[in-house]
Amino acid sequence: MRTDTRKANAKATAGASTTTGSRATGREWAGLTVVLLAMFMSQIDMFIVNVAAPGIQADLNAGFGQLQFVIDGYVIAYAAGMVTGGRLGDRIGRKRTFQYGVAAFTLTSLLCALAPGPGTLIAARVLQGLSAAVMTPQVLSLIRAVFVHERDRARAVGAYGASIGAGVIAGLVGGGLLLDLDVAGLGWRMIFLINLPIGAAILCAAVPAVSESRSADLPRLDIVGAAFTALLLPLVLIPLILGGEHGWPWWTYPCFVLGAAGTLAFLRWERRTEAAGNDPLLPGQLLRAKGFPLSMGTVLMFFSGNAGLFLVLTYHLQSGLRQTPLAASLVFVPLGLGFIVASAACRRLAARFGIGVSVAGGLVMAAGLAAVPAVTGLDRSAQVVALAAVMGVSGLGQGLVVAPLVDTVLTRVHPDDAGAGSGVLNTVTQAGMAFGVAVIGALYRGSLGTNPQSPGPDTDSGDFARAFGLTAYVLAALAAGTALLAYRLGRVPAGAAAGKAADDGGRNGTGR
């Protein structure tokens, strides 16, 4: 049976080191640039719509609930399709799947730009999220499959982290600049049209630069498992995203119960599928890999805190300090720059200290966030500058966390399961962000005692400062928790899935 063969291969190659694998070629580094540009583009679209939200609402006469789904429809579809998109790359080829995803993302960006009303825009955003779910899992899959030498992979993962930071800056600040420029009078539609030349460039460059790779045993797609994930993730994420905003209405609780029951049924189906010798969407050896569940818990905690920070800082700057959207977005620039610098430095640091760099990064984040209550006591202009400095420190910490953590996850994933592992990692990331927005947002609103988007007449800047300060302590605790989980992860030795001595110089299944 295919699954038994894979297990035998994993056992036969347990502990195989990738340190002595063949070094990456110039073509492969060029290919990395291409796929990271796609990751950069997807990150932009994660944040840029938040900046353009008021313009979209006014132009399309959209209600607040509709506007939420313009933003959240992308995130929900993105998360729901991630594991299936990754597994599809394992089967039909990661380069081919990547190209399909980029083409679909470019086309759906055009549909978003042409949307005549809020309903059409919501539908286009959902399709754009599904396209991203096909495209982005291939990035880490290709890194895992192509960069088999430890130093090359660490460098590639560092570049991956830097592309995320650059995407955050471009999404938050670039969106504000595009809206201010109002190119050809297109307004908010330009934030989607900008993807067309970028997508076309990626598609053209991918043909010669990106190497094809796929799982050695060509796993069949688990249709039932894919259907489970397509239903379960929206069932949990929709009430998480909307529940806090609407006071946790009654319908959110049945959704959580059904989500939990459905998850148990899904895992049972996956076990039965594997026991029958077929290919589950989530391979058992992936879920059983030493430290993999703990690494997912670390990812969940880290991104929950990050998403919560972005949310409450935006409220504090715009509603509490009365900053314009563009001025508020500039406060995030030091965070993105710190993220990029730390990600670039991680290549050398991680080679010496491993996951210990993530531990240090979590502690740096916690120290920076713990200083927020003191900063919010300053006057308005000084406070904006000090918050930008705090965000720079937080960005450094975040950059130190991400690259070593992702590299640790990749080393625990069997090469044949690179797509599935990347899909799970990205799904947990999106779920963590949704969880952070819901829980941290609810805490912030509860501390403030009013809706931060439309505060009451008795709410002043001091109320916003106290709410932000209290929330910052919780965020600091989450950062410290990330450091603790990373420390525990570093004490778990990698198991059989960590490496696979490759035929042909350590590149089995890469289709060279």
Side-chain angles (χ1 to χ4, degrees):
M1 291 184 182
R2 180 175 297 152
T3 303
D4 293 336
T5 301
R6 186 186 297 174
K7 289 178 180 178
N9 288 341
K11 290 179 180 179
T13 60
S17 173
T18 58
T19 306
T20 57
S22 56
R23 300 300 298 265
T25 64
R27 178 200 174 198
E28 287 158 352
W29 287 115
L32 176 68
T33 302
V34 173
V35 298
L36 289 185
L37 183 58
M39 188 70 196
F40 171 80
M41 182 170 64
S42 70
Q43 285 295 303
I44 288 176
D45 276 63
M46 188 75 69
F47 293 97
I48 199 169
V49 177
N50 292 274
V51 179
I56 294 173
Q57 188 171 12
D59 187 44
L60 299 183
N61 194 28
F64 182 71
Q66 290 175 313
L67 193 64
Q68 279 186 298
F69 273 104
V70 169
I71 297 170
D72 298 332
Y74 177 90
V75 177
I76 292 168
Y78 191 17
M82 201 78 73
V83 177
T84 303
R87 204 58 172 155
L88 192 63
D90 287 339
R91 174 164 178 77
I92 72 171
R94 291 153 192 149
K95 175 182 177 178
R96 180 187 299 179
T97 307
F98 172 77
Q99 290 172 305
Y100 289 157
V102 173
F105 191 89
T106 305
L107 177 61
T108 53
S109 295
L110 177 60
L111 294 178
C112 289
L114 297 177
T120 311
L121 181 56
I122 291 169
R125 281 285 284 173
V126 169
L127 292 175
Q128 191 185 36
L130 290 173
S131 302
V134 174
M135 174 178 70
T136 56
Q138 315 315 321
V139 177
L140 284 176
S141 299
L142 288 163
I143 289 175
R144 177 68 179 96
V146 172
F147 295 93
V148 296
H149 193 282
E150 184 176 316
R151 291 183 181 178
D152 288 342
R153 190 180 63 247
R155 183 179 172 189
V157 171
Y160 170 84
S163 72
I164 294 175
V168 171
I169 293 177
L172 293 171
V173 181
L177 290 174
L178 281 175
L179 292 173
D180 276 2
L181 290 173
D182 193 19
V183 179
L186 292 169
W188 61 269
R189 298 179 190 274
M190 195 62 198
I191 69 172
F192 296 112
L193 290 174
I194 196 69
N195 290 336
L196 272 60
I198 298 175
I202 293 171
L203 284 172
C204 292
V207 175
V210 179
S211 300
E212 183 61 283
S213 72
R214 59 174 56 85
S215 176
D217 59 1
L218 297 181
R220 293 189 294 270
L221 186 62
D222 177 10
I223 301 298
V224 175
F228 264 116
T229 58
L231 291 173
L232 287 175
L233 282 164
L235 193 62
V236 174
L237 291 180
I238 288 175
L240 265 180
I241 290 171
L242 300 182
E245 182 67 33
H246 298 284
W248 299 105
W250 67 268
W251 58 266
T252 60
Y253 301 103
C255 286
F256 291 137
V257 173
L258 289 172
T263 299
L264 293 176
F266 169 60
L267 293 175
R268 184 178 180 183
W269 167 263
E270 295 295 278
R271 287 194 295 268
R272 288 178 58 187
T273 301
E274 187 171 35
N278 297 318
D279 296 300
L281 191 68
L282 295 180
Q285 74 170 15
L286 173 66
L287 300 179
R288 292 189 297 268
K290 290 183 178 180
F292 188 79
L294 180 59
S295 68
M296 292 301 99
T298 310
V299 169
L300 184 70
M301 181 171 289
F302 173 74
F303 282 100
S304 294
N306 280 6
L309 173 62
F310 288 172
L311 176 71
V312 298
L313 180 58
T314 299
Y315 278 147
H316 181 70
L317 290 169
Q318 295 192 31
S319 299
L321 299 182
R322 307 297 183 187
Q323 299 292 300
T324 66
L326 180 57
S329 69
L330 293 176
V331 177
F332 287 92
V333 171
L335 185 148
L337 293 176
F339 197 108
I340 293 170
V341 170
S343 296
C346 271
R347 180 169 65 91
R348 294 181 181 275
L349 292 173
R352 183 173 180 181
F353 302 107
I355 194 66
V357 178
S358 293
V359 177
L363 295 177
V364 169
M365 289 170 56
L369 291 168
V372 166
V375 169
T376 55
L378 301 174
D379 63 71
R380 181 175 301 180
S381 57
Q383 187 178 154
V384 170
V385 174
L387 283 173
V390 169
M391 289 305 102
V393 173
S394 182
L396 284 170
Q398 290 177 23
L400 291 174
V401 170
V402 170
L405 179 58
V406 170
D407 189 49
T408 299
V409 172
L410 291 182
T411 60
R412 295 169 191 272
V413 175
H414 193 285
D416 283 350
D417 298 323
S422 176
V424 172
L425 173 61
N426 283 284
T427 299
V428 171
T429 296
Q430 298 305 314
M433 293 174 69
F435 184 78
V437 167
V439 175
I440 300 301
L443 173 65
Y444 181 73
R445 283 189 293 268
S447 302
L448 187 62
T450 185
N451 187 336
Q453 288 183 313
S454 53
D458 297 331
T459 306
D460 58 23
S461 59
D463 296 319
F464 279 97
R466 283 188 293 272
F468 187 29
L470 175 62
T471 309
Y473 282 133
V474 176
L475 294 171
L478 288 175
T482 298
L484 177 61
L485 290 180
Y487 173 76
R488 291 187 58 191
L489 181 61
R491 297 177 67 85
V492 178
K500 184 177 181 180
D503 300 325
D504 300 325
R507 299 181 185 269
N508 185 24
T510 57
R512 265 167 229 285

